[in-house]
Amino acid sequence: MSIRSAVMSLLLMNAASLVAFCAEPTSVTLPPKEKFQLFLLIGQSNMAGRGKVEAQDKEINPRVLTLNKAGQWVPAVDPIHFDKPGIAGVGLGRTFGLEIANANPEITVGLIPCAVGGTPIDRWTPGAYDKPTKSHPYDDALPRAKQALESGVLCGILWHQGEGDSNPAKAKVYEQKLDELVTRVRKELDAPEVPFLVGQLGVFEERPWDDAKKQVDAAQRHYAASHPNAAFVSGEGLTHKGDKVHFNAKSYREFGRRYAKAYLDLAPAK
């Protein structure tokens, strides 16, 4: 065999090995159920995440997992949501998981991503259909959560939503519907005391809030203040990615840290 042939053969072998390595699914070993802390991520696009994915968002932490679309536990690398393939990107969930894992080295975090971009709160009711994504947000999320609970313990519910209800008609009944949603989820998942975290809508200087958005904000704040095991997470100072709607990747990461702090402040014993 000539030197050239030998080199080409070696290159082909290396390329084949690389393809096989990349194609091989990453297997994970789950911890004991009591050490697998699960967090349900629900809401619309700013929970799903629309930030630009960078190298740091692909780094694997073996103690931060996510339930993928196929219902498998895999390492949590962005995007973890799949509501709109090709659009979903960096969100707040992965950073939240990393912060919780860092705060307690004895546990593994399991994220249950179920957010669906563009959904008003009415889509988060039993039987409701979201035509753009051809999905049933509530009816799809609950079975995923129950499947996850076979392996771990639900420790928190993270909610970011409200843009879809920021109009005069919907804003005035938003708090009532949020209360109904949380009560329903708690009952279905047998989680009466699990912390519920609601994140603030984007506060962007270039897009001042109208009265309806202020009303949604007030409803979220009041719900968190008037219910036990609930917290409001501020979005002050965060920036958008240029569309005046979605946070940029840096802000999503910061938001994830804020959600984690709110959770740890709310339930330090957990």
Side-chain angles (χ1 to χ4, degrees), residues 69-109:
K69 186 177 182 179
Q72 303 165 323
W73 287 111
V74 297
V77 295
D78 280 319
I80 63 172
H81 275 87
F82 42 81
D83 58 317
K84 295 184 178 181
I87 298 177
V90 172
L92 62 90
R94 178 177 177 275
T95 299
F96 171 86
L98 292 170
E99 292 291 312
I100 300 302
N102 288 338
N104 188 347
E106 297 181 357
I107 60 99
T108 295
V109 172

Side-chain angles (χ1 to χ4, degrees), residues 11-225:
L11 289 173
L12 288 172
M13 290 175 61
N14 287 340
S17 298
L18 180 61
V19 170
F21 174 79
C22 293
E24 185 178 355
T26 304
S27 60
V28 298
T29 300
L30 298 184
K33 186 173 183 178
E34 67 275 10
K35 291 187 178 295
F36 194 20
Q37 296 193 358
L38 308 180
F39 297 88
L40 179 62
L41 312 180
I42 50 178
Q44 56 184 115
S45 58
N46 268 325
M47 175 58 77
R50 299 295 188 250
K52 181 180 179 181
V53 179
E54 300 175 5
Q56 63 179 298
D57 307 306
K58 291 293 187 181
E59 295 174 0
I60 290 175
N61 183 314
R63 292 197 300 113
V64 182
L65 309 178
T66 187
L67 191 70
N68 68 13
K69 186 177 182 179
Q72 303 165 323
W73 287 111
V74 297
V77 295
D78 280 319
I80 63 172
H81 275 87
F82 42 81
D83 58 317
K84 295 184 178 181
I87 298 177
V90 172
L92 62 90
R94 178 177 177 275
T95 299
F96 171 86
L98 292 170
E99 292 291 312
I100 300 302
N102 288 338
N104 188 347
E106 297 181 357
I107 60 99
T108 295
V109 172
L111 304 173
I112 313 167
C114 297
V116 181
T119 48
I121 200 167
D122 282 342
R123 303 272 169 86
W124 290 91
T125 56
Y129 177 68
D130 183 57
K131 187 175 181 179
T133 57
K134 297 181 174 60
S135 67
H136 295 80
Y138 183 86
D139 293 340
D140 294 340
L142 267 292
R144 280 174 54 77
K146 291 176 181 179
Q147 176 193 348
L149 285 171
E150 296 174 5
S151 303
V153 179
L154 185 65
C155 291
I157 302 168
L158 281 61
W159 172 255
H160 195 285
Q161 190 274 343
E163 293 91 346
D165 290 86
S166 294
N167 65 62
K170 294 180 179 180
K172 64 182 179 181
V173 293
Y174 185 83
E175 186 172 358
Q176 174 190 336
K177 292 188 175 183
L178 180 61
D179 194 346
E180 292 170 353
L181 168 65
V182 181
T183 299
R184 188 187 310 115
V185 172
R186 289 189 184 283
K187 182 177 180 181
E188 289 235 24
L189 299 182
D190 190 22
E193 298 182 356
V194 165
F196 174 80
L197 309 177
V198 53
Q200 188 176 27
L201 303 179
V203 186
F204 306 135
E205 182 179 345
E206 302 90 338
R207 190 179 184 183
W209 283 3
D210 58 16
D211 289 342
K213 188 162 285 189
K214 291 176 182 177
Q215 193 168 3
V216 170
D217 181 74
Q220 293 176 338
R221 289 175 182 270
H222 184 261
Y223 177 88

